[in-house]
């Protein structure tokens, strides 16, 4: 229980601040809070794959797109409840991840990254050329989406569920096996770790969470089209959030998402400058703080504790 107490405390504090503060700041705060929650979910999912499992994927857009298309398609044709449609989006993305995993898991390192990028691009081109899904025009939501406050509450629930799932995952035996596969897959296999199953579990869970985030974004816009829904920007944003916040750090996705969203709002009128500063921040973090801002904060805190702790006298010198 002691090892869980710090995690529970910061999770509860983050939940209170992220969920309640935007609700008290009006419609603009709700819009910013909604985007922040979605980015945290994307960051949590990508951190599970890359930070804990070493699966550096650029296929975030494929899961986001699948989630959005499944949700809008279901709401337009069979009108299920929204929780059921969100669940279907998650299941569809998990099934897709399970189908492609035997092929992409044969790839290692940079080849895996390029393979997942190619998957997202292939799905985007397929949606553009397949008229049943609206082709290049995309799909429009037939009914009005929920109010901004209602969407925000859904996003807050998804954020809470994602945080709980990832926290349980990273403190279970699966996390140990996942990190063993990340560090040395061959050595992990020799001690009995089934690498394919371990990576598949992380891949499908992460894909499902990303799909729910994409579904909520499609619901928020009321329209989806292949260029934006399967756009590479989703993959870039997920990588940026985790690298800035800290790969393999539990608070990394929250810290990174706050930085990314805040920077986007501050530089909303200067898109070219925004891209340049984003790139500069990534270079600085990768070069000087490879563990991200969260890792840097931990190092600083440990240094402060060490500096404040008096040295104990050696046993032989004690009077």
């Amino acid at each position: 229980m002691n090892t869980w107490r710090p995690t529970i405390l910061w999770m509860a504090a983050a939940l209170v601040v992220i969920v309640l503060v935007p609700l008290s700041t009006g419609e603009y705060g709700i819009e910013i809070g909604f985007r922040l929650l979605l980015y945290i979910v994307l960051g949590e999912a990508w951190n599970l794959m890359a930070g804990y499992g070493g699966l550096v994927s650029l296929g975030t857009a494929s899961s986001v797109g699948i989630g959005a298309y499944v949700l809008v398609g279901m709401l337009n044709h069979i009108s299920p409840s929204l929780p059921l449609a969100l669940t279907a989006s998650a299941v569809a993305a998990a099934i897709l991840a399970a189908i492609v995993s035997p092929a992409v898991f044969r790839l290692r390192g940079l080849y895996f990254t390029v393979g997942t990028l190619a998957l997202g691009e292939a799905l985007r081109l397929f949606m553009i050329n397949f008229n049943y899904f609206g082709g290049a025009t995309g799909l429009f939501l037939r009914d009005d989406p929920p109010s901004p406050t209602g969407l925000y509450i859904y996003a807050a629930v998804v954020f809470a569920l994602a945080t709980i799932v990832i926290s349980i995952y990273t403190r279970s035996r699966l996390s140990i096996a996942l990190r063993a596969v990340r560090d040395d897959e061959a050595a992990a296999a020799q001690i009995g770790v089934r690498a394919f199953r371990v990576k598949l579990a992380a891949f499908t869970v992460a894909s499902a969470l990303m799909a729910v985030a994409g579904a909520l974004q499609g619901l928020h816009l009321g329209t989806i089209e292949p260029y934006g829904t399967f756009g590479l920007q989703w993959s870039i944003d997920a990588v940026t959030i985790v690298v800035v916040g800290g790969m393999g750090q539990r608070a990394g996705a929250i810290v990174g998402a706050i930085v990314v969203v805040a920077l986007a709002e501050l530089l909303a009128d200067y898109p070219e400058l925004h891209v340049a500063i984003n790139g500069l921040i990534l270079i600085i973090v990768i070069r000087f703080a490879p563990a991200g801002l969260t890792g840097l904060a931990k190092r600083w805190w440990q240094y402060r504790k060490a500096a404040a702790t008096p040295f104990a006298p050696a046993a032989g010198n004690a009077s």
Side-chain angles (χ1 to χ4, degrees), residues 184-199:
D184 192 328
E185 185 171 334
Q190 289 179 356
I191 61 174
V193 176
R194 299 190 176 185
F196 179 83
R197 292 186 180 182
V198 169
K199 292 191 293 185

PDB file of all heavy atoms in Angstrom, residues 184-199:
ATOM      1  N   ASP A 184      16.254  -5.917 -23.407  1.00  0.00           N
ATOM      2  CA  ASP A 184      16.940  -6.965 -24.179  1.00  0.00           C
ATOM      3  C   ASP A 184      15.945  -8.087 -24.434  1.00  0.00           C
ATOM      4  O   ASP A 184      15.712  -8.934 -23.570  1.00  0.00           O
ATOM      5  CB  ASP A 184      18.161  -7.490 -23.418  1.00  0.00           C
ATOM      6  CG  ASP A 184      19.061  -8.353 -24.299  1.00  0.00           C
ATOM      7  OD1 ASP A 184      18.534  -9.038 -25.203  1.00  0.00           O
ATOM      8  OD2 ASP A 184      20.290  -8.336 -24.086  1.00  0.00           O
ATOM      9  N   GLU A 185      15.361  -8.089 -25.625  1.00  0.00           N
ATOM     10  CA  GLU A 185      14.306  -9.058 -25.925  1.00  0.00           C
ATOM     11  C   GLU A 185      14.828 -10.487 -25.918  1.00  0.00           C
ATOM     12  O   GLU A 185      14.157 -11.405 -25.433  1.00  0.00           O
ATOM     13  CB  GLU A 185      13.675  -8.732 -27.282  1.00  0.00           C
ATOM     14  CG  GLU A 185      12.492  -9.615 -27.625  1.00  0.00           C
ATOM     15  CD  GLU A 185      11.746  -9.135 -28.860  1.00  0.00           C
ATOM     16  OE1 GLU A 185      11.808  -7.928 -29.161  1.00  0.00           O
ATOM     17  OE2 GLU A 185      11.098  -9.984 -29.520  1.00  0.00           O
ATOM     18  N   ALA A 186      16.039 -10.693 -26.443  1.00  0.00           N
ATOM     19  CA  ALA A 186      16.599 -12.050 -26.495  1.00  0.00           C
ATOM     20  C   ALA A 186      16.850 -12.582 -25.083  1.00  0.00           C
ATOM     21  O   ALA A 186      16.531 -13.741 -24.774  1.00  0.00           O
ATOM     22  CB  ALA A 186      17.893 -12.046 -27.302  1.00  0.00           C
ATOM     23  N   ALA A 187      17.407 -11.736 -24.204  1.00  0.00           N
ATOM     24  CA  ALA A 187      17.666 -12.172 -22.834  1.00  0.00           C
ATOM     25  C   ALA A 187      16.352 -12.424 -22.096  1.00  0.00           C
ATOM     26  O   ALA A 187      16.245 -13.376 -21.308  1.00  0.00           O
ATOM     27  CB  ALA A 187      18.491 -11.116 -22.103  1.00  0.00           C
ATOM     28  N   ALA A 188      15.349 -11.588 -22.344  1.00  0.00           N
ATOM     29  CA  ALA A 188      14.052 -11.784 -21.701  1.00  0.00           C
ATOM     30  C   ALA A 188      13.434 -13.110 -22.126  1.00  0.00           C
ATOM     31  O   ALA A 188      12.839 -13.826 -21.306  1.00  0.00           O
ATOM     32  CB  ALA A 188      13.116 -10.627 -22.045  1.00  0.00           C
ATOM     33  N   ALA A 189      13.566 -13.448 -23.395  1.00  0.00           N
ATOM     34  CA  ALA A 189      13.017 -14.716 -23.886  1.00  0.00           C
ATOM     35  C   ALA A 189      13.711 -15.907 -23.238  1.00  0.00           C
ATOM     36  O   ALA A 189      13.076 -16.934 -22.962  1.00  0.00           O
ATOM     37  CB  ALA A 189      13.147 -14.776 -25.406  1.00  0.00           C
ATOM     38  N   GLN A 190      15.005 -15.782 -22.949  1.00  0.00           N
ATOM     39  CA  GLN A 190      15.753 -16.890 -22.351  1.00  0.00           C
ATOM     40  C   GLN A 190      15.324 -17.169 -20.911  1.00  0.00           C
ATOM     41  O   GLN A 190      15.499 -18.290 -20.426  1.00  0.00           O
ATOM     42  CB  GLN A 190      17.249 -16.583 -22.399  1.00  0.00           C
ATOM     43  CG  GLN A 190      17.827 -16.647 -23.801  1.00  0.00           C
ATOM     44  CD  GLN A 190      19.313 -16.320 -23.822  1.00  0.00           C
ATOM     45  OE1 GLN A 190      19.893 -15.969 -22.798  1.00  0.00           O
ATOM     46  NE2 GLN A 190      19.923 -16.441 -24.990  1.00  0.00           N
ATOM     47  N   ILE A 191      14.771 -16.157 -20.225  1.00  0.00           N
ATOM     48  CA  ILE A 191      14.331 -16.395 -18.847  1.00  0.00           C
ATOM     49  C   ILE A 191      12.828 -16.670 -18.775  1.00  0.00           C
ATOM     50  O   ILE A 191      12.236 -16.638 -17.700  1.00  0.00           O
ATOM     51  CB  ILE A 191      14.691 -15.205 -17.939  1.00  0.00           C
ATOM     52  CG1 ILE A 191      14.010 -13.922 -18.421  1.00  0.00           C
ATOM     53  CG2 ILE A 191      16.192 -15.024 -17.867  1.00  0.00           C
ATOM     54  CD1 ILE A 191      14.208 -12.740 -17.470  1.00  0.00           C
ATOM     55  N   GLY A 192      12.201 -16.899 -19.930  1.00  0.00           N
ATOM     56  CA  GLY A 192      10.817 -17.337 -19.947  1.00  0.00           C
ATOM     57  C   GLY A 192       9.783 -16.286 -20.277  1.00  0.00           C
ATOM     58  O   GLY A 192       8.579 -16.575 -20.236  1.00  0.00           O
ATOM     59  N   VAL A 193      10.196 -15.057 -20.588  1.00  0.00           N
ATOM     60  CA  VAL A 193       9.245 -14.010 -20.946  1.00  0.00           C
ATOM     61  C   VAL A 193       8.799 -14.219 -22.386  1.00  0.00           C
ATOM     62  O   VAL A 193       9.635 -14.347 -23.291  1.00  0.00           O
ATOM     63  CB  VAL A 193       9.875 -12.608 -20.796  1.00  0.00           C
ATOM     64  CG1 VAL A 193       8.894 -11.534 -21.261  1.00  0.00           C
ATOM     65  CG2 VAL A 193      10.280 -12.369 -19.349  1.00  0.00           C
ATOM     66  N   ARG A 194       7.503 -14.267 -22.605  1.00  0.00           N
ATOM     67  CA  ARG A 194       6.968 -14.419 -23.960  1.00  0.00           C
ATOM     68  C   ARG A 194       6.834 -13.032 -24.578  1.00  0.00           C
ATOM     69  O   ARG A 194       5.826 -12.338 -24.379  1.00  0.00           O
ATOM     70  CB  ARG A 194       5.632 -15.146 -23.927  1.00  0.00           C
ATOM     71  CG  ARG A 194       5.760 -16.547 -23.351  1.00  0.00           C
ATOM     72  CD  ARG A 194       4.506 -17.366 -23.542  1.00  0.00           C
ATOM     73  NE  ARG A 194       4.685 -18.724 -23.081  1.00  0.00           N
ATOM     74  CZ  ARG A 194       3.781 -19.695 -23.208  1.00  0.00           C
ATOM     75  NH1 ARG A 194       2.609 -19.416 -23.781  1.00  0.00           N
ATOM     76  NH2 ARG A 194       4.023 -20.910 -22.768  1.00  0.00           N
ATOM     77  N   ALA A 195       7.855 -12.664 -25.321  1.00  0.00           N
ATOM     78  CA  ALA A 195       7.978 -11.287 -25.799  1.00  0.00           C
ATOM     79  C   ALA A 195       6.800 -10.855 -26.657  1.00  0.00           C
ATOM     80  O   ALA A 195       6.293  -9.737 -26.515  1.00  0.00           O
ATOM     81  CB  ALA A 195       9.285 -11.126 -26.580  1.00  0.00           C
ATOM     82  N   PHE A 196       6.351 -11.733 -27.537  1.00  0.00           N
ATOM     83  CA  PHE A 196       5.262 -11.345 -28.432  1.00  0.00           C
ATOM     84  C   PHE A 196       3.999 -11.025 -27.642  1.00  0.00           C
ATOM     85  O   PHE A 196       3.343 -10.008 -27.892  1.00  0.00           O
ATOM     86  CB  PHE A 196       4.979 -12.466 -29.444  1.00  0.00           C
ATOM     87  CG  PHE A 196       3.849 -12.146 -30.383  1.00  0.00           C
ATOM     88  CD1 PHE A 196       4.072 -11.378 -31.511  1.00  0.00           C
ATOM     89  CD2 PHE A 196       2.554 -12.592 -30.120  1.00  0.00           C
ATOM     90  CE1 PHE A 196       3.023 -11.066 -32.379  1.00  0.00           C
ATOM     91  CE2 PHE A 196       1.513 -12.278 -30.976  1.00  0.00           C
ATOM     92  CZ  PHE A 196       1.755 -11.517 -32.106  1.00  0.00           C
ATOM     93  N   ARG A 197       3.659 -11.858 -26.679  1.00  0.00           N
ATOM     94  CA  ARG A 197       2.442 -11.624 -25.890  1.00  0.00           C
ATOM     95  C   ARG A 197       2.559 -10.350 -25.056  1.00  0.00           C
ATOM     96  O   ARG A 197       1.581  -9.598 -24.915  1.00  0.00           O
ATOM     97  CB  ARG A 197       2.182 -12.824 -24.978  1.00  0.00           C
ATOM     98  CG  ARG A 197       1.801 -14.093 -25.729  1.00  0.00           C
ATOM     99  CD  ARG A 197       1.416 -15.181 -24.757  1.00  0.00           C
ATOM    100  NE  ARG A 197       1.054 -16.422 -25.446  1.00  0.00           N
ATOM    101  CZ  ARG A 197       0.643 -17.533 -24.843  1.00  0.00           C
ATOM    102  NH1 ARG A 197       0.528 -17.542 -23.511  1.00  0.00           N
ATOM    103  NH2 ARG A 197       0.340 -18.601 -25.534  1.00  0.00           N
ATOM    104  N   VAL A 198       3.739 -10.104 -24.508  1.00  0.00           N
ATOM    105  CA  VAL A 198       3.940  -8.910 -23.684  1.00  0.00           C
ATOM    106  C   VAL A 198       3.785  -7.651 -24.532  1.00  0.00           C
ATOM    107  O   VAL A 198       3.103  -6.691 -24.142  1.00  0.00           O
ATOM    108  CB  VAL A 198       5.331  -8.962 -23.022  1.00  0.00           C
ATOM    109  CG1 VAL A 198       5.671  -7.631 -22.376  1.00  0.00           C
ATOM    110  CG2 VAL A 198       5.378 -10.079 -21.980  1.00  0.00           C
ATOM    111  N   LYS A 199       4.405  -7.648 -25.711  1.00  0.00           N
ATOM    112  CA  LYS A 199       4.308  -6.475 -26.589  1.00  0.00           C
ATOM    113  C   LYS A 199       2.890  -6.325 -27.138  1.00  0.00           C
ATOM    114  O   LYS A 199       2.390  -5.201 -27.278  1.00  0.00           O
ATOM    115  CB  LYS A 199       5.309  -6.589 -27.739  1.00  0.00           C
ATOM    116  CG  LYS A 199       6.762  -6.494 -27.306  1.00  0.00           C
ATOM    117  CD  LYS A 199       7.698  -6.335 -28.480  1.00  0.00           C
ATOM    118  CE  LYS A 199       7.745  -7.559 -29.341  1.00  0.00           C
ATOM    119  NZ  LYS A 199       8.766  -7.436 -30.420  1.00  0.00           N
TER     120      LYS A 199
END
